[in-house]
Amino acid sequence: EGTYSKEGGSEMCVECPKLSSSAPGSTACELCQVGYHWDVDEQACSPCPTLDNQPIASCPGGDAQPKPLDGYWSDRRHARYAKFVYPCIGRDTCEGSESRDACWNTADGYANETRCSLDLVCTEGATGPLCGACKEGWTYIPSDKTCGACKDQQAIAILVMVILALLVIGLVVGYQGVVNTSETTVRAKKGCIERMVESGRRVDVAKVKVVWVTISILAAVELVTTILFPEPFASLLFVYRLTHIDLFSGLSLSCMGKEFGSYHVKALFTSLVPV
């Protein structure tokens, strides 16, 4: 142990390099100390990954690859990709790994997808790079920043659709009522609704659009960065996020069929809806 021989059965053994070790009878030193992982490309032990001098993975040593902590992800398609650990920005779908170390062993942890899933560090229902997509039968819930089962979201989607329908009907009826009111009646007795309509007509729509777009951009800052903003700016961003309306996710359209799960369909729907 701690030595190796390039030829099996040889009585002459060589001591393993610093930070590495080996099992008895080994022809190479592929076991690392705790806090280090085996680098497949360099064929040597490398320090556990960090971000801004903060740990983002745990390294149990041996021939194990880095195990991402909560909020981080690594590519499990091959052991040579696993040394790169990435932050999951804007979502809470990366839960880190509490799995047995066997799934992270360089030798066989990446060879059996049935035993050790590619989505090992994803929350239930999440899949893909950075756990950024939801599996079939699941939909993304912006308020929770996770994937939820479609069967649990159907009632909410129906309720949202009913409320939107009632809102549209109310606006149409109210508008028709105002339009049908004669100018003489409006001048003689202006009600609350009429005064609101007249005030609305004087609003500069172009300025409103500029303000809305600015707020939308600021609300998306935390979704695309890992920056922790100080107060009171953090609270301001939270308030701005409340103005973000995602009808696609709110109506759980991705649960209505595979065709709605496409990124291109979502981008088209989001572009056409005026909010």
Side-chain angles (χ1 to χ4, degrees), residues 20-65:
S20 64
S21 184
S22 65
S26 298
T27 57
C29 296
E30 297 180 345
L31 300 179
C32 301
Q33 296 179 8
V34 175
Y36 293 82
H37 69 91
W38 181 251
D39 191 317
V40 177
D41 295 322
E42 300 294 333
Q43 290 294 295
C45 294
S46 296
C48 215
T50 59
L51 180 64
D52 296 331
N53 295 322
Q54 297 298 318
I56 58 177
S58 63
C59 295
D63 73 335
Q65 293 299 314

Side-chain angles (χ1 to χ4, degrees), residues 8 18 59 63 89 117 121 145 171 237:
K18 186 180 179 180
C59 295
D63 73 335
I89 301 175
S117 170
V121 298
K145 296 184 180 181
L171 290 174
L237 290 180

Side-chain angles (χ1 to χ4, degrees), residues 124-198:
E124 188 178 9
T127 186
L130 299 175
C131 305
C134 295
K135 298 178 181 178
E136 185 176 353
W138 296 74
T139 186
Y140 183 66
I141 306 175
S143 58
D144 296 337
K145 296 184 180 181
T146 57
C147 296
C150 285
K151 61 181 181 180
D152 298 332
Q153 303 302 314
Q154 291 176 349
I156 298 177
I158 293 174
L159 178 61
V160 172
M161 293 177 68
V162 170
I163 293 175
L164 288 176
L166 293 175
L167 180 61
V168 171
I169 293 174
L171 290 174
V172 171
V173 172
Y175 178 76
Q176 289 295 329
V178 173
V179 170
N180 294 334
T181 303
S182 64
E183 291 293 332
T184 303
T185 304
V186 172
R187 292 193 185 96
K189 186 179 181 180
K190 292 184 178 180
C192 180
I193 296 179
E194 287 83 354
R195 290 197 297 269
M196 291 175 60
V197 171
E198 286 191 358

Side-chain angles (χ1 to χ4, degrees), residues 76 101-113 115-117 120:
R76 291 188 47 80
D101 292 342
C103 287
W104 299 94
N105 290 346
T106 302
D108 58 1
Y110 296 81
N112 191 336
E113 292 183 19
R115 185 183 66 180
C116 301
S117 170
L120 196 62

